[in-house]
Amino acid sequence: MASIFTQIINGEIPCYKIAEDDNFIAFLDINPNAKGHTLCVPKEEIDKIFDMGEHLYLQLMQFSRKVARALEKTVPCKRVGMAAVGLEVPHVHVHLIPLNSMADMDFSKKVEMTKDEFEALAQKVSEAINA
Ligand code: 5GP
């Protein structure tokens, strides 16, 4: 069965999209550690990040960097942290998390956001990428 992220990529499940190109998509994490928590995902469904081919892996880093720089301009934070976990969803994704404290890297700590907040934030970050 297709992963939940493949279903998002195929438009079968909605997301708060930030960016997309031929190979990657970025959208807001639905259960964020901090406001602006974003996932950068390759469209090819590969389970583990370090099993990716070197070229696609480097392209994912390039794509994630672009999104991280837009997040840093848009979301009040000290810096943007990055993590690769994959324990919940076995489809490669890079977590980008706007950090104000080390606690923001704690995946058991979550913040509540309304649909309107998600929509407004996704639009703002998306505009910062294209600016
Ligand atoms: P991991 O696999 O790295 O342990 O965590 C998967 C991440 O994906 C979690 O932070 C979780 O909140 C997020 N996630 C799981 N399902 C969905 C979904 O349907 N939509 C979005 N936007 N995020 C999801």
Side-chain angles (χ1 to χ4, degrees), residues 9-123:
I9 289 159
N10 292 341
E12 293 156 14
I13 292 178
C15 71
Y16 301 102
K17 188 159 75 178
I18 285 176
E20 183 171 15
D21 68 13
D22 288 347
N23 297 315
F24 305 100
I25 187 169
F27 49 82
L28 293 174
D29 194 299
I30 203 66
N31 199 12
N33 291 18
K35 284 189 181 177
H37 183 167
T38 297
L39 303 174
C40 298
V41 184
K43 291 186 176 177
E44 187 180 340
E45 195 176 315
I46 299 164
D47 180 354
K48 298 178 184 168
I49 192 163
F50 299 120
D51 287 344
M52 294 177 86
E54 190 173 321
H55 183 64
L56 193 64
Y57 171 79
L58 293 174
Q59 281 186 313
L60 174 62
M61 291 301 121
Q62 212 166 35
F63 179 83
S64 301
R65 177 175 176 272
K66 215 170 7 174
V67 176
R69 289 167 72 89
L71 277 171
E72 202 161 342
K73 277 194 256 169
T74 313
V75 181
C77 64
K78 291 182 177 167
R79 59 183 58 225
V80 173
M82 182 172 93
V85 185
L87 289 170
E88 182 186 332
V89 180
H91 180 154
V92 171
H93 50 283
V94 169
H95 293 261
L96 297 176
I97 306 170
L99 300 177
N100 286 295
S101 77
M102 187 56 98
D104 295 327
M105 287 302 283
D106 179 352
F107 283 78
S108 62
K109 168 192 161 282
K110 298 295 175 183
V111 297
E112 295 284 326
M113 286 177 67
T114 65
K115 187 174 187 295
D116 285 354
E117 280 181 305
F118 273 117
E119 272 171 4
L121 188 53
Q123 192 183 336

